[in-house]
Amino acid sequence: MLGRFSFPVLGLVAFALVLILFGVCTTLDGNSILKLEGENGTKRVIIPAGANPMMGSYGMMMDATAMCVMGFGFLYAFCRKYSWGGIVFNFLMCGLCFLWCQVCTCIVHVIFSGHFQKTEINLAAMISADLVTAAVLITFGVVYGFVSPCQILVICLIEPLAMKINEHIVIDFLGTSDAGGSILTHAFGAFYGVGLNLGLGIKPKYIPEENRKTNKFGDTFALVGTIVLWMFWPSFNGSLLYDDASVQHRVVVNTYLAICASCVTAMIASHLVHGGKLNILEVQNATLAGGVSIGMSCSYNVNPWVPVLIGGLAGMLSSVGYGKIAEFLENLGMMDSAGAVQLHGIPGVFGAVAAGIVVIATTNNQYFAADTVWTEMDGNTNGKQFGMILLSVLVTIAISFVVGALNGLLVRVPICEKVESHLLIDETPYFEIELEDEPMEGNEIMMKEQ
């Protein structure tokens, strides 16, 4: 309806909505508000740095933010004809979602509590926004190159709210602890993307073969993104646990061990499957599967070999399944451009199942009831917690897929500019491009024979 003007028009409307609701739904944290004392109220009250334990997580918050902006951004620069689109649209989504998530927190609180309470903007709220934004960026990986900037804006307004609702159900109603977001962030974002893809109605057969190509330059950028994500993943999983140093330390250690293990096993599996050579797409993605899979159990009090085993198995599962899952989705008439289901969806579900097995195998269920910042359920047994974990997986997949499919149908309305089939995974319509890169031989996205 609005053609090329749909992005600026809807963008201004979205920004105005965020701005108005930000004024209504948010407030500064108590430690950030100027306080005066003295007879005339002229002396500023100085709050010692140690009085605010959240400031200890500032470094972790910046690590998590860097993962979203730089890690995902560079990881999505792999495609020859969509490298700018991958980085720039990822950046756009970060900016909008970081703000909108604060409003969504207030809305969800009203929905479930029945009373209005403004969101306090502090480091904890900013970290929470990073975790939610990561899910939206994972979704973008599934529909990479399939959505216009206008459609991206709509996705950014709907998915964070759906994720916060699912998070409330899983944590507060089902009592499942998921400190690193194996299902709350990773599985949710991946299966939301699958539903979105279905709703959009994008068929792999309509994607030009030329647009599927990668090149060495883009793949090198993507490897930089992989390394950024790999380095900062322990901070991503442990950033919210600022009020319990022992648990936060345990999360960092377990995540570090798991992601090291997946780095090794993913490359071994790739080398075996591809006849003695490494598949660069699997190196870019499957090496990170340990960070995804350990998310739910990273706060558990377990021996160090447990996260090594979980991460190692996740790396192999992700690497071996890369081409198989891509082929399966294409046979269903869907395509996962950036392999988000293989990196985030399957390892996320695997991580939840692994966490359930650890719960069954242990004799001390206190570590699994819902640790530290999460709700605590009295009378929790190992068997009950295992059942709650499995139920949480099913609920998360159901909510993410259904809402994603509805979102896909919504962004097909005429007000949003659509991506024509011959321009799928092609950034040319969205940027001023003076010189074309010389074509380089590359790989087809997710189409390699395993």
Side-chain angles (χ1 to χ4, degrees):
M1 185 183 297
L2 297 175
R4 292 294 169 84
F5 294 100
S6 62
F7 171 59
V9 170
L10 186 60
L12 289 173
V13 172
F15 182 74
L17 176 66
V18 172
L19 181 61
I20 293 170
L21 291 181
F22 225 78
V24 175
C25 298
T26 67
T27 184
L28 276 176
D29 176 79
N31 289 322
S32 303
I33 297 175
L34 176 64
K35 297 178 182 178
L36 302 174
E37 63 180 3
E39 293 184 4
N40 299 321
T42 56
K43 184 178 179 181
R44 183 171 68 87
V45 177
I46 298 176
I47 301 175
N52 185 0
M54 279 186 286
M55 288 306 298
S57 278
Y58 175 76
M60 285 189 164
M61 185 275 292
M62 289 306 300
D63 290 348
T65 303
M67 283 181 66
C68 291
V69 179
M70 296 173 57
F72 280 103
F74 287 151
L75 188 65
Y76 291 156
F78 66 95
C79 188
R80 185 174 68 87
K81 300 188 72 173
Y82 206 75
S83 56
W84 285 8
I87 296 174
V88 172
F89 295 146
N90 183 88
F91 196 14
L92 169 66
M93 296 169 81
C94 286
L96 179 55
C97 289
F98 287 160
L99 295 173
W100 181 242
C101 288
Q102 312 301 342
V103 176
C104 291
T105 299
C106 178
I107 294 173
V108 171
H109 181 80
V110 171
I111 292 173
F112 287 100
S113 71
H115 67 273
F116 180 79
Q117 179 178 325
K118 289 188 174 183
T119 301
E120 290 191 355
I121 305 298
N122 51 32
L123 278 178
M126 294 160 69
I127 293 168
S128 178
D130 285 334
L131 302 181
V132 175
T133 300
V136 183
L137 302 180
I138 291 166
T139 296
F140 178 55
V142 181
V143 294
Y144 175 92
F146 301 163
V147 287
S148 68
C150 178
Q151 291 173 320
I152 287 173
L153 292 176
V154 178
I155 295 168
C156 289
L157 293 177
I158 296 176
E159 184 172 359
L161 183 59
M163 182 187 164
K164 295 295 288 186
I165 290 173
N166 179 71
E167 179 184 77
H168 188 92
I169 293 172
V170 168
I171 295 174
D172 293 333
F173 291 169
L174 301 180
T176 298
S177 170
D178 191 11
S182 285
I183 60 172
L184 291 179
T185 297
H186 300 286
F188 186 93
F191 291 108
Y192 192 100
V194 173
L196 183 65
N197 198 324
L198 182 65
L200 285 168
I202 303 296
K203 301 297 182 184
K205 62 182 180 180
Y206 297 138
I207 302 172
E209 291 297 321
E210 183 65 21
N211 294 5
R212 294 177 177 231
K213 301 285 186 179
T214 68
N215 60 24
K216 195 166 185 178
F217 179 79
D219 279 330
T220 302
F221 257 101
L223 282 172
V224 174
T226 298
I227 293 171
V228 170
L229 291 168
W230 193 88
M231 289 176 59
F232 294 153
W233 214 294
S235 294
F236 185 85
N237 284 357
S239 53
L240 268 180
L241 298 162
Y242 55 83
D243 61 344
D244 192 327
S246 64
V247 176
Q248 189 177 61
H249 184 262
R250 192 160 67 230
V251 167
V252 169
V253 169
N254 287 340
T255 304
Y256 172 85
L257 295 175
I259 203 165
C260 286
S262 66
C263 177
V264 175
T265 59
M267 292 195 197
I268 293 173
S270 180
H271 193 275
L272 288 173
V273 169
H274 296 283
K277 293 187 178 181
L278 295 174
N279 181 307
I280 196 63
L281 293 173
E282 293 167 11
V283 174
Q284 291 164 355
N285 293 278
T287 52
L288 303 171
V292 176
S293 63
I294 200 63
M296 181 172 287
S297 55
C298 62
S299 62
Y300 292 6
N301 189 58
V302 293
N303 290 319
W305 64 266
V306 175
V308 174
L309 176 62
I310 292 174
L313 291 175
M316 288 189 289
L317 175 66
S318 180
S319 184
V320 172
Y322 236 77
K324 305 297 182 183
I325 296 171
E327 183 180 354
F328 173 75
L329 288 175
E330 292 214 19
N331 289 336
L332 294 178
M334 294 182 287
M335 182 175 173
D336 176 9
S337 299
V341 174
Q342 293 91 306
L343 171 56
H344 301 277
I346 303 303
V349 173
F350 168 76
V353 174
I357 293 173
V358 173
V359 168
I360 290 293
T362 187
T363 57
N364 189 345
N365 69 331
Q366 278 302 108
Y367 295 106
F368 317 114
D371 217 337
T372 313
V373 299
W374 313 105
T375 40
E376 186 166 336
M377 296 179 65
D378 296 328
N380 230 5
T381 64
N382 298 54
K384 179 181 177 182
Q385 190 62 38
F386 177 75
M388 288 298 186
I389 289 173
L390 295 184
L391 182 59
S392 297
V393 172
L394 295 176
V395 168
T396 297
I397 293 176
I399 292 176
S400 59
F401 182 81
V402 171
V403 179
L406 294 175
N407 195 353
L409 293 173
L410 178 63
V411 296
R412 293 172 67 175
V413 298
I415 195 173
C416 286
E417 180 186 6
K418 299 177 184 178
V419 181
E420 300 296 332
S421 58
H422 68 284
L423 293 174
L424 292 169
I425 322 182
D426 188 345
E427 65 197 18
T428 305
Y430 311 119
F431 295 95
E432 293 182 350
I433 302 177
E434 296 181 1
L435 295 174
E436 291 266 351
D437 290 335
E438 292 185 8
M440 298 173 62
E441 293 296 323
N443 304 309
E444 287 190 5
I445 301 173
M446 303 312 301
M447 288 293 290
K448 288 186 174 182
E449 292 294 333
Q450 298 295 306

